[in-house]
Amino acid sequence: MRPGGGSYAHLDEAELVALFRARDAGAVRYVATCNNQRLFRAAWAVLRDSAEAEDAVQSAYLKAFAAIDTFEGRSKLSTWLTRIVINEARVRRRSARRRAALLGHAMPPGTDIGEEVDTAYQTPEQHVANVQLRKALEQALGSLPQIYRTVFILREIEGMTVEETAAALDILPATVKTRLFRARHMLQARLSSLDRTAVKGVLAFGGKICAALTARVLLVIAA
């Protein structure tokens, strides 16, 4: 029997994966809602372009459904999805580089994201200050080499463990630790202070844009 409403949150991983594999709409919606922001941030870490990152997330979900029978549960479903979206983003980045080389163009700079932020309890001054801080953090992150940026976003912003990050990136845990240390050092050199609280709010992906992405995924898998 398919659970109803919010009961998906009470399922264990194996039950949720089984429903996800069966393309149960409620399970897909729940998984997407829980993972969209992480997947978007992971894709952005590679692509530095919000529109491309969003497209990469949608493609990653479709590839996940196509490959779901290969998921053996050795890692969390969220970690497996993160690895898929990172691989998808890397493919897109390589393709963009090849196109740029053929056309004799430089790679375009990354674009800012149009995140939705709850401003109901902010003064206009606080809102401006927060926007400026996020922009500064995003620009600083965008300046990092991709291998350090990705590790920093997964570890510091998404809160993934060393082991989960290593699995998602297919690197050793020791490499994760080294890259995170270097990323922090490079960011500290660009920013006078690295506010951990502010970092958590960078590259927000929620509200209507998250719901719209989930709706597109549901529409495609139902076709």
Side-chain angles (χ1 to χ4, degrees):
M1 179 181 295
R2 296 178 181 177
S7 57
Y8 288 97
H10 302 294
L11 295 176
D12 63 31
E13 181 87 347
E15 292 172 319
L16 186 60
V17 169
L19 288 169
F20 185 79
R21 177 181 283 112
R23 303 195 179 196
D24 174 77
V28 173
R29 183 179 290 105
Y30 177 76
V31 169
T33 301
C34 291
N35 287 279
N36 280 350
Q37 179 161 272
R38 171 183 287 187
L39 301 184
F40 174 81
R41 285 170 165 171
W44 186 93
V46 177
L47 296 164
R48 290 195 305 145
D49 182 286
S50 59
E52 281 290 329
E54 194 170 337
D55 286 346
V57 173
Q58 182 171 325
S59 294
Y61 277 122
L62 301 184
K63 290 186 176 181
F65 286 118
I68 190 62
D69 288 337
T70 68
F71 178 69
E72 299 177 349
R74 295 179 182 176
S75 64
K76 293 180 181 178
L77 179 63
S78 59
T79 303
W80 185 69
L81 291 171
T82 303
R83 184 169 183 173
I84 290 174
V85 80
I86 287 172
N87 287 337
E88 173 67 15
R90 285 171 172 168
V91 168
R92 287 169 177 261
R93 183 174 175 82
R94 286 194 294 268
S95 296
R97 283 178 167 172
R98 285 195 294 269
R99 288 195 302 271
L102 287 172
L103 296 173
H105 296 160
M107 283 283 287
T111 61
D112 294 329
I113 67 167
E115 74 269 29
E116 296 177 358
V117 179
D118 184 4
T119 60
Y121 301 102
Q122 296 179 358
T123 66
E125 293 78 11
Q126 288 173 328
H127 175 62
V128 170
N130 287 338
V131 169
Q132 291 174 340
L133 178 58
R134 282 195 303 273
K135 294 297 183 186
L137 285 168
E138 288 170 16
Q139 288 173 0
L141 282 170
S143 73
L144 295 180
Q146 185 261 313
I147 58 173
Y148 302 122
R149 181 172 59 248
T150 306
V151 167
F152 184 89
I153 286 176
L154 295 183
R155 286 283 291 118
E156 288 291 331
I157 299 179
E158 273 305 307
M160 293 175 66
T161 66
V162 170
E163 291 73 21
E164 288 172 338
T165 304
L169 297 173
D170 196 22
I171 58 178
L172 295 173
T175 305
V176 171
K177 295 176 182 178
T178 299
R179 291 181 182 179
L180 179 60
F181 174 81
R182 292 178 179 172
R184 286 172 176 165
H185 181 74
M186 286 185 279
L187 285 173
Q188 289 285 8
R190 287 184 59 91
L191 301 168
S192 58
S193 64
L194 191 58
D195 187 330
R196 296 293 175 84
T197 302
V199 164
K200 295 295 183 182
V202 169
L203 302 172
F205 188 84
K208 293 180 181 179
I209 54 174
C210 176
L213 174 59
T214 300
R216 290 198 300 274
V217 171
L218 285 166
L219 184 64
V220 172
I221 66 169

mmCIF file of all heavy atoms in Angstrom, residues 136-175:
data_model
loop_
_atom_site.group_PDB
_atom_site.id
_atom_site.type_symbol
_atom_site.label_atom_id
_atom_site.label_comp_id
_atom_site.label_asym_id
_atom_site.label_seq_id
_atom_site.Cartn_x
_atom_site.Cartn_y
_atom_site.Cartn_z
ATOM 1 N N ALA A 136 28.747 38.145 -2.266
ATOM 2 C CA ALA A 136 30.192 38.086 -2.017
ATOM 3 C C ALA A 136 30.647 36.643 -1.832
ATOM 4 O O ALA A 136 31.691 36.224 -2.359
ATOM 5 C CB ALA A 136 30.541 38.918 -0.785
ATOM 6 N N LEU A 137 29.849 35.880 -1.091
ATOM 7 C CA LEU A 137 30.188 34.475 -0.874
ATOM 8 C C LEU A 137 30.117 33.677 -2.166
ATOM 9 O O LEU A 137 30.986 32.845 -2.451
ATOM 10 C CB LEU A 137 29.254 33.879 0.176
ATOM 11 C CG LEU A 137 29.513 34.287 1.627
ATOM 12 C CD1 LEU A 137 28.350 33.874 2.514
ATOM 13 C CD2 LEU A 137 30.809 33.675 2.139
ATOM 14 N N GLU A 138 29.075 33.927 -2.961
ATOM 15 C CA GLU A 138 28.936 33.209 -4.227
ATOM 16 C C GLU A 138 30.080 33.542 -5.180
ATOM 17 O O GLU A 138 30.610 32.666 -5.868
ATOM 18 C CB GLU A 138 27.595 33.525 -4.871
ATOM 19 C CG GLU A 138 26.408 32.881 -4.147
ATOM 20 C CD GLU A 138 25.075 33.392 -4.641
ATOM 21 O OE1 GLU A 138 25.037 34.001 -5.724
ATOM 22 O OE2 GLU A 138 24.064 33.181 -3.940
ATOM 23 N N GLN A 139 30.464 34.816 -5.210
ATOM 24 C CA GLN A 139 31.583 35.216 -6.067
ATOM 25 C C GLN A 139 32.880 34.570 -5.597
ATOM 26 O O GLN A 139 33.696 34.120 -6.404
ATOM 27 C CB GLN A 139 31.706 36.739 -6.088
ATOM 28 C CG GLN A 139 30.586 37.421 -6.870
ATOM 29 C CD GLN A 139 30.635 38.938 -6.748
ATOM 30 O OE1 GLN A 139 31.503 39.495 -6.075
ATOM 31 N NE2 GLN A 139 29.691 39.614 -7.392
ATOM 32 N N ALA A 140 33.064 34.524 -4.265
ATOM 33 C CA ALA A 140 34.266 33.896 -3.717
ATOM 34 C C ALA A 140 34.286 32.402 -4.031
ATOM 35 O O ALA A 140 35.322 31.843 -4.409
ATOM 36 C CB ALA A 140 34.340 34.125 -2.212
ATOM 37 N N LEU A 141 33.136 31.766 -3.889
ATOM 38 C CA LEU A 141 33.052 30.345 -4.231
ATOM 39 C C LEU A 141 33.318 30.122 -5.715
ATOM 40 O O LEU A 141 34.017 29.187 -6.100
ATOM 41 C CB LEU A 141 31.666 29.801 -3.877
ATOM 42 C CG LEU A 141 31.398 29.489 -2.408
ATOM 43 C CD1 LEU A 141 29.917 29.198 -2.191
ATOM 44 C CD2 LEU A 141 32.241 28.309 -1.944
ATOM 45 N N GLY A 142 32.761 30.996 -6.541
ATOM 46 C CA GLY A 142 32.955 30.866 -7.977
ATOM 47 C C GLY A 142 34.407 31.017 -8.397
ATOM 48 O O GLY A 142 34.803 30.517 -9.445
ATOM 49 N N SER A 143 35.193 31.708 -7.576
ATOM 50 C CA SER A 143 36.602 31.928 -7.905
ATOM 51 C C SER A 143 37.474 30.720 -7.580
ATOM 52 O O SER A 143 38.612 30.625 -8.041
ATOM 53 C CB SER A 143 37.133 33.150 -7.147
ATOM 54 O OG SER A 143 37.296 32.859 -5.766
ATOM 55 N N LEU A 144 36.955 29.793 -6.770
ATOM 56 C CA LEU A 144 37.745 28.621 -6.404
ATOM 57 C C LEU A 144 37.893 27.670 -7.582
ATOM 58 O O LEU A 144 36.981 27.547 -8.399
ATOM 59 C CB LEU A 144 37.075 27.857 -5.256
ATOM 60 C CG LEU A 144 36.951 28.528 -3.893
ATOM 61 C CD1 LEU A 144 36.262 27.568 -2.922
ATOM 62 C CD2 LEU A 144 38.296 28.948 -3.354
ATOM 63 N N PRO A 145 39.007 26.968 -7.667
ATOM 64 C CA PRO A 145 39.087 25.869 -8.643
ATOM 65 C C PRO A 145 37.965 24.875 -8.366
ATOM 66 O O PRO A 145 37.590 24.649 -7.215
ATOM 67 C CB PRO A 145 40.465 25.258 -8.362
ATOM 68 C CG PRO A 145 41.270 26.397 -7.792
ATOM 69 C CD PRO A 145 40.290 27.176 -6.956
ATOM 70 N N GLN A 146 37.448 24.283 -9.411
ATOM 71 C CA GLN A 146 36.242 23.456 -9.285
ATOM 72 C C GLN A 146 36.390 22.315 -8.277
ATOM 73 O O GLN A 146 35.454 22.004 -7.531
ATOM 74 C CB GLN A 146 35.861 22.912 -10.655
ATOM 75 C CG GLN A 146 34.557 22.124 -10.687
ATOM 76 C CD GLN A 146 34.799 20.632 -10.644
ATOM 77 O OE1 GLN A 146 35.637 20.119 -11.372
ATOM 78 N NE2 GLN A 146 34.081 19.927 -9.793
ATOM 79 N N ILE A 147 37.554 21.690 -8.204
ATOM 80 C CA ILE A 147 37.714 20.542 -7.298
ATOM 81 C C ILE A 147 37.584 20.968 -5.837
ATOM 82 O O ILE A 147 37.092 20.202 -4.999
ATOM 83 C CB ILE A 147 39.053 19.805 -7.525
ATOM 84 C CG1 ILE A 147 40.243 20.757 -7.328
ATOM 85 C CG2 ILE A 147 39.080 19.166 -8.900
ATOM 86 C CD1 ILE A 147 41.587 20.028 -7.368
ATOM 87 N N TYR A 148 38.005 22.194 -5.527
ATOM 88 C CA TYR A 148 37.890 22.682 -4.153
ATOM 89 C C TYR A 148 36.485 23.227 -3.882
ATOM 90 O O TYR A 148 35.939 23.053 -2.791
ATOM 91 C CB TYR A 148 38.933 23.765 -3.890
ATOM 92 C CG TYR A 148 40.344 23.295 -4.112
ATOM 93 C CD1 TYR A 148 41.180 23.936 -5.028
ATOM 94 C CD2 TYR A 148 40.848 22.188 -3.440
ATOM 95 C CE1 TYR A 148 42.480 23.492 -5.251
ATOM 96 C CE2 TYR A 148 42.145 21.739 -3.660
ATOM 97 C CZ TYR A 148 42.950 22.397 -4.561
ATOM 98 O OH TYR A 148 44.233 21.951 -4.786
ATOM 99 N N ARG A 149 35.915 23.889 -4.884
ATOM 100 C CA ARG A 149 34.573 24.456 -4.733
ATOM 101 C C ARG A 149 33.545 23.363 -4.450
ATOM 102 O O ARG A 149 32.687 23.499 -3.582
ATOM 103 C CB ARG A 149 34.199 25.230 -5.999
ATOM 104 C CG ARG A 149 32.828 25.879 -5.943
ATOM 105 C CD ARG A 149 32.592 26.797 -7.135
ATOM 106 N NE ARG A 149 32.689 26.126 -8.413
ATOM 107 C CZ ARG A 149 33.653 26.350 -9.310
ATOM 108 N NH1 ARG A 149 34.592 27.233 -9.085
ATOM 109 N NH2 ARG A 149 33.661 25.690 -10.467
ATOM 110 N N THR A 150 33.643 22.257 -5.188
ATOM 111 C CA THR A 150 32.671 21.174 -5.023
ATOM 112 C C THR A 150 32.756 20.565 -3.633
ATOM 113 O O THR A 150 31.733 20.342 -2.976
ATOM 114 C CB THR A 150 32.901 20.086 -6.088
ATOM 115 O OG1 THR A 150 32.898 20.686 -7.382
ATOM 116 C CG2 THR A 150 31.809 19.037 -6.027
ATOM 117 N N VAL A 151 33.951 20.293 -3.173
ATOM 118 C CA VAL A 151 34.118 19.725 -1.834
ATOM 119 C C VAL A 151 33.603 20.682 -0.773
ATOM 120 O O VAL A 151 32.909 20.275 0.170
ATOM 121 C CB VAL A 151 35.599 19.370 -1.574
ATOM 122 C CG1 VAL A 151 35.829 19.091 -0.088
ATOM 123 C CG2 VAL A 151 36.011 18.152 -2.395
ATOM 124 N N PHE A 152 33.915 21.971 -0.913
ATOM 125 C CA PHE A 152 33.468 22.943 0.083
ATOM 126 C C PHE A 152 31.947 23.002 0.143
ATOM 127 O O PHE A 152 31.355 23.014 1.229
ATOM 128 C CB PHE A 152 34.024 24.334 -0.238
ATOM 129 C CG PHE A 152 33.681 25.359 0.809
ATOM 130 C CD1 PHE A 152 34.514 25.553 1.903
ATOM 131 C CD2 PHE A 152 32.528 26.121 0.713
ATOM 132 C CE1 PHE A 152 34.193 26.482 2.885
ATOM 133 C CE2 PHE A 152 32.199 27.049 1.683
ATOM 134 C CZ PHE A 152 33.036 27.237 2.775
ATOM 135 N N ILE A 153 31.293 23.022 -1.006
ATOM 136 C CA ILE A 153 29.829 23.110 -1.029
ATOM 137 C C ILE A 153 29.194 21.867 -0.419
ATOM 138 O O ILE A 153 28.248 21.959 0.380
ATOM 139 C CB ILE A 153 29.333 23.347 -2.468
ATOM 140 C CG1 ILE A 153 29.625 24.809 -2.876
ATOM 141 C CG2 ILE A 153 27.846 23.047 -2.604
ATOM 142 C CD1 ILE A 153 29.271 25.145 -4.306
ATOM 143 N N LEU A 154 29.714 20.700 -0.759
ATOM 144 C CA LEU A 154 29.125 19.471 -0.217
ATOM 145 C C LEU A 154 29.373 19.330 1.279
ATOM 146 O O LEU A 154 28.479 18.918 2.030
ATOM 147 C CB LEU A 154 29.677 18.250 -0.961
ATOM 148 C CG LEU A 154 29.315 18.141 -2.444
ATOM 149 C CD1 LEU A 154 29.878 16.853 -3.029
ATOM 150 C CD2 LEU A 154 27.813 18.197 -2.662
ATOM 151 N N ARG A 155 30.558 19.689 1.719
ATOM 152 C CA ARG A 155 30.896 19.517 3.141
ATOM 153 C C ARG A 155 30.375 20.668 4.008
ATOM 154 O O ARG A 155 29.686 20.441 5.012
ATOM 155 C CB ARG A 155 32.415 19.404 3.311
ATOM 156 C CG ARG A 155 32.997 18.085 2.878
ATOM 157 C CD ARG A 155 32.759 16.953 3.901
ATOM 158 N NE ARG A 155 33.528 17.170 5.112
ATOM 159 C CZ ARG A 155 33.017 17.342 6.328
ATOM 160 N NH1 ARG A 155 31.706 17.322 6.501
ATOM 161 N NH2 ARG A 155 33.790 17.517 7.384
ATOM 162 N N GLU A 156 30.702 21.895 3.649
ATOM 163 C CA GLU A 156 30.402 23.033 4.515
ATOM 164 C C GLU A 156 28.979 23.549 4.364
ATOM 165 O O GLU A 156 28.372 23.976 5.350
ATOM 166 C CB GLU A 156 31.387 24.175 4.242
ATOM 167 C CG GLU A 156 32.792 23.922 4.741
ATOM 168 C CD GLU A 156 32.878 23.913 6.265
ATOM 169 O OE1 GLU A 156 32.068 24.599 6.916
ATOM 170 O OE2 GLU A 156 33.750 23.206 6.793
ATOM 171 N N ILE A 157 28.466 23.545 3.158
ATOM 172 C CA ILE A 157 27.130 24.109 2.941
ATOM 173 C C ILE A 157 26.062 23.027 3.078
ATOM 174 O O ILE A 157 25.047 23.230 3.742
ATOM 175 C CB ILE A 157 27.045 24.783 1.559
ATOM 176 C CG1 ILE A 157 28.061 25.932 1.475
ATOM 177 C CG2 ILE A 157 25.636 25.314 1.310
ATOM 178 C CD1 ILE A 157 28.080 26.667 0.155
ATOM 179 N N GLU A 158 26.296 21.866 2.468
ATOM 180 C CA GLU A 158 25.307 20.791 2.537
ATOM 181 C C GLU A 158 25.460 19.907 3.764
ATOM 182 O O GLU A 158 24.557 19.164 4.119
ATOM 183 C CB GLU A 158 25.374 19.936 1.269
ATOM 184 C CG GLU A 158 24.531 20.460 0.139
ATOM 185 C CD GLU A 158 23.075 20.651 0.527
ATOM 186 O OE1 GLU A 158 22.461 19.703 1.042
ATOM 187 O OE2 GLU A 158 22.562 21.756 0.337
ATOM 188 N N GLY A 159 26.618 19.961 4.410
ATOM 189 C CA GLY A 159 26.811 19.179 5.625
ATOM 190 C C GLY A 159 26.985 17.691 5.405
ATOM 191 O O GLY A 159 26.745 16.890 6.316
ATOM 192 N N MET A 160 27.389 17.299 4.207
ATOM 193 C CA MET A 160 27.660 15.888 3.961
ATOM 194 C C MET A 160 28.896 15.448 4.731
ATOM 195 O O MET A 160 29.806 16.246 4.977
ATOM 196 C CB MET A 160 27.855 15.638 2.452
ATOM 197 C CG MET A 160 26.599 15.843 1.635
ATOM 198 S SD MET A 160 26.854 15.689 -0.170
ATOM 199 C CE MET A 160 27.276 13.953 -0.332
ATOM 200 N N THR A 161 28.943 14.195 5.131
ATOM 201 C CA THR A 161 30.106 13.684 5.840
ATOM 202 C C THR A 161 31.281 13.532 4.877
ATOM 203 O O THR A 161 31.109 13.581 3.648
ATOM 204 C CB THR A 161 29.810 12.317 6.481
ATOM 205 O OG1 THR A 161 29.594 11.354 5.432
ATOM 206 C CG2 THR A 161 28.582 12.385 7.387
ATOM 207 N N VAL A 162 32.452 13.320 5.440
ATOM 208 C CA VAL A 162 33.630 13.086 4.601
ATOM 209 C C VAL A 162 33.403 11.865 3.715
ATOM 210 O O VAL A 162 33.711 11.880 2.518
ATOM 211 C CB VAL A 162 34.885 12.884 5.483
ATOM 212 C CG1 VAL A 162 36.063 12.406 4.636
ATOM 213 C CG2 VAL A 162 35.245 14.173 6.205
ATOM 214 N N GLU A 163 32.836 10.819 4.301
ATOM 215 C CA GLU A 163 32.621 9.578 3.559
ATOM 216 C C GLU A 163 31.586 9.769 2.443
ATOM 217 O O GLU A 163 31.757 9.255 1.335
ATOM 218 C CB GLU A 163 32.169 8.463 4.507
ATOM 219 C CG GLU A 163 33.250 7.980 5.474
ATOM 220 C CD GLU A 163 33.545 8.989 6.578
ATOM 221 O OE1 GLU A 163 32.677 9.861 6.853
ATOM 222 O OE2 GLU A 163 34.639 8.904 7.171
ATOM 223 N N GLU A 164 30.507 10.485 2.730
ATOM 224 C CA GLU A 164 29.483 10.735 1.712
ATOM 225 C C GLU A 164 30.047 11.574 0.575
ATOM 226 O O GLU A 164 29.767 11.318 -0.607
ATOM 227 C CB GLU A 164 28.291 11.453 2.338
ATOM 228 C CG GLU A 164 27.441 10.583 3.248
ATOM 229 C CD GLU A 164 26.388 11.378 4.002
ATOM 230 O OE1 GLU A 164 26.554 12.615 4.155
ATOM 231 O OE2 GLU A 164 25.411 10.769 4.460
ATOM 232 N N THR A 165 30.840 12.582 0.928
ATOM 233 C CA THR A 165 31.441 13.440 -0.091
ATOM 234 C C THR A 165 32.406 12.653 -0.959
ATOM 235 O O THR A 165 32.418 12.791 -2.189
ATOM 236 C CB THR A 165 32.163 14.624 0.565
ATOM 237 O OG1 THR A 165 31.258 15.334 1.404
ATOM 238 C CG2 THR A 165 32.737 15.574 -0.472
ATOM 239 N N ALA A 166 33.206 11.798 -0.321
ATOM 240 C CA ALA A 166 34.148 10.970 -1.074
ATOM 241 C C ALA A 166 33.411 10.040 -2.032
ATOM 242 O O ALA A 166 33.820 9.864 -3.187
ATOM 243 C CB ALA A 166 35.004 10.154 -0.107
ATOM 244 N N ALA A 167 32.295 9.468 -1.574
ATOM 245 C CA ALA A 167 31.513 8.566 -2.429
ATOM 246 C C ALA A 167 30.888 9.323 -3.593
ATOM 247 O O ALA A 167 30.860 8.831 -4.728
ATOM 248 C CB ALA A 167 30.433 7.875 -1.603
ATOM 249 N N ALA A 168 30.380 10.520 -3.327
ATOM 250 C CA ALA A 168 29.735 11.305 -4.380
ATOM 251 C C ALA A 168 30.722 11.742 -5.448
ATOM 252 O O ALA A 168 30.373 11.823 -6.633
ATOM 253 C CB ALA A 168 29.053 12.532 -3.775
ATOM 254 N N LEU A 169 31.959 12.021 -5.031
ATOM 255 C CA LEU A 169 32.966 12.518 -5.971
ATOM 256 C C LEU A 169 33.912 11.426 -6.469
ATOM 257 O O LEU A 169 34.771 11.696 -7.308
ATOM 258 C CB LEU A 169 33.780 13.634 -5.306
ATOM 259 C CG LEU A 169 33.001 14.890 -4.911
ATOM 260 C CD1 LEU A 169 33.884 15.840 -4.119
ATOM 261 C CD2 LEU A 169 32.454 15.584 -6.141
ATOM 262 N N ASP A 170 33.773 10.227 -5.905
ATOM 263 C CA ASP A 170 34.632 9.109 -6.279
ATOM 264 C C ASP A 170 36.101 9.433 -6.020
ATOM 265 O O ASP A 170 36.967 9.222 -6.872
ATOM 266 C CB ASP A 170 34.411 8.729 -7.752
ATOM 267 C CG ASP A 170 34.972 7.343 -8.077
ATOM 268 O OD1 ASP A 170 35.134 6.549 -7.138
ATOM 269 O OD2 ASP A 170 35.258 7.062 -9.259
ATOM 270 N N ILE A 171 36.360 9.953 -4.826
ATOM 271 C CA ILE A 171 37.730 10.243 -4.400
ATOM 272 C C ILE A 171 37.927 9.672 -3.004
ATOM 273 O O ILE A 171 36.969 9.249 -2.345
ATOM 274 C CB ILE A 171 38.035 11.763 -4.397
ATOM 275 C CG1 ILE A 171 37.047 12.511 -3.486
ATOM 276 C CG2 ILE A 171 38.011 12.321 -5.813
ATOM 277 C CD1 ILE A 171 37.313 14.014 -3.404
ATOM 278 N N LEU A 172 39.158 9.676 -2.516
ATOM 279 C CA LEU A 172 39.450 9.156 -1.189
ATOM 280 C C LEU A 172 39.024 10.147 -0.104
ATOM 281 O O LEU A 172 39.081 11.364 -0.316
ATOM 282 C CB LEU A 172 40.950 8.881 -1.055
ATOM 283 C CG LEU A 172 41.530 7.782 -1.958
ATOM 284 C CD1 LEU A 172 43.051 7.749 -1.825
ATOM 285 C CD2 LEU A 172 40.933 6.426 -1.616
ATOM 286 N N PRO A 173 38.624 9.657 1.072
ATOM 287 C CA PRO A 173 38.290 10.558 2.180
ATOM 288 C C PRO A 173 39.432 11.523 2.524
ATOM 289 O O PRO A 173 39.182 12.685 2.843
ATOM 290 C CB PRO A 173 38.000 9.594 3.336
ATOM 291 C CG PRO A 173 37.508 8.357 2.666
ATOM 292 C CD PRO A 173 38.314 8.243 1.404
ATOM 293 N N ALA A 174 40.662 11.043 2.440
ATOM 294 C CA ALA A 174 41.799 11.917 2.729
ATOM 295 C C ALA A 174 41.879 13.072 1.744
ATOM 296 O O ALA A 174 42.258 14.193 2.100
ATOM 297 C CB ALA A 174 43.097 11.111 2.700
ATOM 298 N N THR A 175 41.499 12.812 0.499
ATOM 299 C CA THR A 175 41.496 13.863 -0.517
ATOM 300 C C THR A 175 40.423 14.898 -0.217
ATOM 301 O O THR A 175 40.636 16.103 -0.417
ATOM 302 C CB THR A 175 41.258 13.248 -1.911
ATOM 303 O OG1 THR A 175 42.235 12.236 -2.153
ATOM 304 C CG2 THR A 175 41.353 14.305 -2.996
#
